[in-house]
Each structure stands twice: as C-alpha cells, then as structure tokens.
Amino acid sequence: MTHTGKVLIGIGAAKSGTTWLFQNLRSHPQMHAMPLKELHYFDQLHGENQFPGRFHEAELILHTREKEEANDPFVKAQTDWLRKYIAPVTLDDRWYVSLLEGASDRVPLDISPGYAVMSERGFSHMKSLLPNAQVVFMMRNPMERAWSQFRKDVFERTTKPMTNAHMMDILDWSVFAERSNYTETIRRLDNAFDDAHVTYAFYEDVFANPLGFLSGLCRSLGVDFAPSLFPHTDARSNISRNLAIPSEVGAHLVRRYARVCESVE
C-alpha cells in the first residue's frame, strides 16, 4: 500500500521545537492538523521504546469533544477521527493512511518526535508508505537540550536538593542521551530518503530566523508562504523552570556530547 500525497513528518528530540513547529504549521490553510500532534505509528512498529500512553491523550480529547455541540461538522469530524485512532481493528498501513484521509488537498501533519530513535527499517517503511513525505528533523545543541529536558522532567518534579554527582548520573540515562544521537538518525534518514525530502533544522537557527525557516519549509512542500500565515512564531511551549547549570555538570555534558557536536557541524 502507498499513500502518494504529501505528508509533513516532524521528528526530533524533546525540547527541540517540535511543539512550536506543530503550532505554527497548524494555522496554515494548506496544512491539515489532526486532533493529535503525535500519531506514533512507525515507532510503534519499529521503535525500541513503545508509547503506551498514546491512546490516553486521544481519549481525553474525545471525552471533551463529545460534550460539545454534536451538530457542529468540525466537532463531528474530530470525534470520528479520534474514535478511529483509539480503536484500530489492526495497527497497519491501511489504518494509518485512513488517519490522513480527511486532509483532502491539504498537507497532513504527523509531528511524532519519537520517530527519531526508531530503527532503520522504520524509516524504510515510512519511505515506502509515504514516498512524497517531507521529513523535518529538529535538533538542538545537545548539551542545552539535555539540560532543558532535565529541568522539565526532573527538576520540576522534585523538591529535594540534588548534588552535582546525582545530576550527572541522571543526565547519563538513555532517555536523555538517545534523542541526542543525531548522527545515527541522520544516517538512517539519508539511507531512506533523498536530500529533497529531508529538512535538517537546529533549534538555535530556527528561533533566530523563524520566518526564514518556515519560508523554506513551505517551498519544499509546495504551499504558499506569507508572514501573516504564521502569527505564532514568537510563542514558546513547554518552557522549563529556570535553573543555572553548575559548571561541573556543564563540563560533564560538554565531554559527553563533544563527538556529536563535531559530527553535525
């Protein structure tokens, strides 16, 4: 089975701007955002880390939509889509393609950061099913990305003081390191897709010139670009609490990610 239409696939690491990407693209009239940002199809089949909570968010949104005006065509379309997503008869290509069908002549969005760490077979499957997909790989300085994720996932959830040694132990966990293995993701993408179908973007560059980045992306997708189509470029999502990085911890991260930084320069 093959879906020949254009699809925008967003992948990347936590705290690298994928939510910003979704929020900006969903406002474009030639883009089609599903009720969920992350569809998590290919990583369910080809990822080491499954996403068991993927249905929970859909169930919460469906519960809210079911309380709204049933005669509203938009609400009905969303509830129908969510029911289809939650209860697939079989998790297969036909089911995934059916999720994209409501896009009509617009470009559907699947911004699932977890695709970045799936196997090479996953990217080959994606290319085979979606030959005209445009993949955007969002990256960020790996030291800053890991520290931002630490602040969000660890620091905000504890009231206990932490030693530098404890912070460094946590930052060495695979959940922080695997999403920063950019070189391996790039290798797998390059083996599956040609250059015209992949956009590599760094968080720092995107936020230095967001409209320039979005202009190039629109050109790759063959859709219109105008600054007025993107009113949310200054918005930030999932902002972590501020915490200065201790010098010892910063030095540890520099050593850990030095090779990654050199390989993607």
Side-chain angles (χ1 to χ4, degrees):
M1 184 174 189
T2 300
H3 176 76
T4 58
K6 292 182 180 178
V7 181
L8 190 287
I9 302 289
I11 71 174
K15 312 302 293 180
S16 293
T18 56
T19 299
W20 176 91
L21 179 67
F22 178 73
Q23 290 177 341
N24 277 277
L25 294 182
R26 72 186 303 182
S27 67
H28 194 292
Q30 292 170 279
M31 306 285 191
H32 177 69
M34 268 72 78
L36 296 176
K37 167 195 167 196
E38 304 178 21
L39 303 190
H40 286 287
Y41 173 55
F42 296 101
D43 55 349
Q44 290 295 296
L45 301 180
H46 306 287
E48 295 180 3
N49 295 325
Q50 301 300 299
F51 190 71
R54 72 190 184 93
F55 291 128
H56 180 62
E57 182 184 0
E59 289 168 348
L60 291 176
I61 298 173
L62 177 60
H63 182 67
T64 300
R65 291 288 182 267
E66 286 176 334
K67 294 180 179 180
E68 297 175 354
E69 177 54 57
N71 294 325
D72 185 325
F74 174 76
V75 173
K76 185 180 185 305
Q78 289 223 327
T79 54
D80 289 347
W81 188 95
L82 288 162
R83 291 190 184 107
K84 184 191 301 184
Y85 182 83
I86 291 169
V89 176
T90 304
L91 194 69
D92 60 11
D93 289 353
R94 189 174 301 278
W95 169 79
Y96 179 75
V97 169
S98 75
L99 300 176
L100 311 178
E101 289 174 348
S104 186
D105 59 347
R106 294 172 294 167
V107 179
L109 309 176
D110 179 2
I111 313 295
S112 296
Y115 293 164
V117 293
M118 65 184 178
S119 68
E120 189 161 340
R121 182 177 295 179
F123 286 112
S124 296
H125 180 190
M126 182 186 291
K127 175 62 175 177
S128 175
L129 180 62
L130 308 172
N132 293 310
Q134 185 71 29
V135 181
V136 180
F137 182 22
M138 300 288 288
M139 296 172 279
R140 183 177 182 178
N141 178 298
M143 290 85 77
E144 294 181 5
R145 193 211 66 76
W147 184 244
S148 180
Q149 184 182 355
F150 173 86
R151 286 166 24 223
K152 182 70 176 178
D153 295 348
V154 179
F155 178 62
E156 291 186 0
R157 300 181 184 183
T158 184
T159 58
K160 297 179 180 179
M162 301 180 70
T163 65
N164 289 351
H166 190 190
M167 291 181 187
M168 290 186 288
D169 285 344
I170 293 173
L171 286 161
D172 283 341
W173 291 353
S174 61
V175 69
F176 290 94
E178 65 181 0
R179 295 289 184 90
S180 293
N181 188 7
Y182 303 148
T183 51
E184 183 59 23
T185 301
I186 291 171
R187 184 189 68 79
R188 293 171 181 173
L189 276 170
D190 284 347
N191 285 342
F193 292 88
D194 58 50
D195 291 346
H197 287 90
V198 182
T199 298
Y200 295 106
F202 270 93
Y203 175 97
E204 294 80 4
D205 296 333
V206 169
F207 286 106
N209 184 13
L211 289 175
F213 165 72
L214 291 168
S215 174
L217 192 55
C218 287
R219 191 162 50 250
S220 297
L221 291 167
V223 300
D224 298 335
F225 171 79
S228 60
L229 296 174
F230 300 102
H232 308 300
T233 56
D234 292 333
R236 297 292 183 273
S237 303
N238 302 321
I239 298 174
S240 307
R241 285 171 55 192
N242 190 38
L243 176 66
I245 185 168
S247 57
E248 183 182 9
V249 177
H252 175 76
L253 291 176
V254 168
R255 290 192 297 271
R256 180 173 181 83
Y257 292 112
R259 185 171 297 178
V260 173
C261 291
E262 291 174 0
S263 66
V264 296
E265 283 183 350

